[in-house]
Amino acid sequence: MSGPLVLLDSASLYFRSFYAVPESMTSPDGVPVNAVRGFAGMVAQIITERSPSRLVACMDADWRPAFRVAAIPSYKAQRVADPANNVEEVPDTLTPQVPIIVDLLDAAGICMAESAGHEADDVIGTLAAREKADPVEIITGDRDLFQCVRDEPTTVRVVYVGAGWRKKTVIGPVELAEKYGLPPVGSAYADMAVLRGDPSDGLPGITGIGEKTAARLITRFGSLQALVDAAAAGSSDVPLRVRQAFEHDADYLAKAPLVVKVNEDALITASCPDALPGEVDVDRMRALQERWDLGSSVDRLIDALTAP
């Protein structure tokens, strides 16, 4: 059996690496490289432990896509550093590390993929939905991608690293159902997330509906659309306070699914065909290691990439 197609939520991973590894790790000329070191080390662990047949580093071409902002202007608004240019607020010491990470991925022959006007989540959702041959594993610290899990036509699992790689958990439909009390399909998580909202993404949710209530409602009616239809018909099966909240938040309820749900039909631009690994340029990786003083993290990555 071939290994899984592994999809990396790159920004999620290098942000977590940035906060997990001390900023005292710098290049010879003082540029912080803590995120680069942590990211390289994690990718090495992923390759060693998950044995992927193919590996794709999915990137944000647009961290706050216009189509989502047009639907709900508050989407990620609290993270905007430069409204005129739609620039995300990122730690000053992380910004210069991202190009180094890209250079290292390129030298390692690891496929990178993005989609104009879309987030990495949409790239991941599209690649996962397209895959018909190998099982898919999504490596992320973002719960939004739980909506991608499924069993058919091939299995899609999220390896959730919100608490770090050592405490990773593998989430599939069964685990999703157990954790949230939802039907065992990824779409149920997205439906619940619309109702619950997410303050960290500027999504208010439906007034008075928290995660547990949202999960109960989606479980009872099977889907968000079925719940909305029942509420619109005045069904007594929908509590009065929920019907009133839906009326009060009708505009949000109509637009939120477009924002919350991961796109599964994005136009992907990739650095390699069919996510096949490229040639590992060990000499270039060593040059980057020396230039930026990346230490043993690059040794581990080279070992993982070149292991028989």
Side-chain angles (χ1 to χ4, degrees), residues 112-164:
M112 290 175 280
E114 63 180 19
S115 177
H118 291 82
E119 300 173 63
D121 284 12
D122 302 308
V123 178
I124 290 168
T126 298
L127 292 176
R130 284 182 186 173
E131 184 60 26
K132 300 297 187 291
D134 295 329
V136 178
E137 292 187 353
I138 299 166
I139 316 292
T140 184
D142 184 353
R143 293 183 301 168
D144 291 342
L145 287 164
F146 288 174
Q147 64 184 275
C148 296
V149 304
R150 59 180 65 98
D151 285 329
E152 297 290 344
T154 187
T155 61
V156 179
R157 299 291 184 264
V158 168
V159 180
Y160 181 66
V161 296

Side-chain angles (χ1 to χ4, degrees), residues 14 25-37 39-40 59 93-108 112 284-285 287-294 297-298 301:
Y14 64 63
M25 291 187 173
T26 62
S27 68
D29 50 358
V31 176
V33 292
N34 56 320
V36 186
R37 281 181 172 238
F39 181 82
M59 317 296 281
T93 49
L94 173 57
T95 301
Q97 299 190 58
V98 177
I100 305 171
I101 289 171
V102 171
D103 283 347
L104 188 59
L105 288 169
D106 187 54
M112 290 175 280
R284 186 177 164 204
M285 292 180 72
L288 289 168
Q289 179 185 34
E290 182 177 358
R291 165 65 183 89
W292 299 107
D293 192 15
L294 300 178
S297 63
V298 171
L301 184 54

Side-chain angles (χ1 to χ4, degrees), residues 215-300:
R216 283 198 300 270
L217 289 168
I218 297 303
T219 299
R220 182 173 183 180
F221 289 90
S223 71
L224 176 62
Q225 190 59 57
L227 169 62
V228 170
D229 290 345
S235 171
S236 59
D237 290 334
V238 183
L240 176 60
R241 68 177 184 85
V242 173
R243 281 181 274 150
Q244 291 173 334
F246 279 10
E247 291 177 7
H248 181 268
D249 299 330
D251 186 59
Y252 167 84
L253 187 59
K255 296 175 178 178
L258 175 66
V259 178
V260 171
K261 293 186 176 181
V262 168
N263 191 318
E264 295 186 346
D265 193 27
L267 182 63
I268 306 293
T269 301
S271 63
C272 52
D274 300 319
L276 293 172
E279 183 178 350
V280 181
D281 190 338
V282 174
D283 290 341
R284 186 177 164 204
M285 292 180 72
R286 291 294 187 200
L288 289 168
Q289 179 185 34
E290 182 177 358
R291 165 65 183 89
W292 299 107
D293 192 15
L294 300 178
S296 63
S297 63
V298 171
D299 294 332
R300 295 195 299 274

Side-chain angles (χ1 to χ4, degrees), residues 64 68 72-79 197-205 252 259-260:
R64 191 172 178 250
R68 289 192 167 103
I72 298 181
S74 63
Y75 181 62
K76 294 186 177 179
Q78 76 279 18
R79 301 189 216 167
D198 186 346
S200 68
D201 279 342
L203 301 175
Y252 167 84
V259 178
V260 171

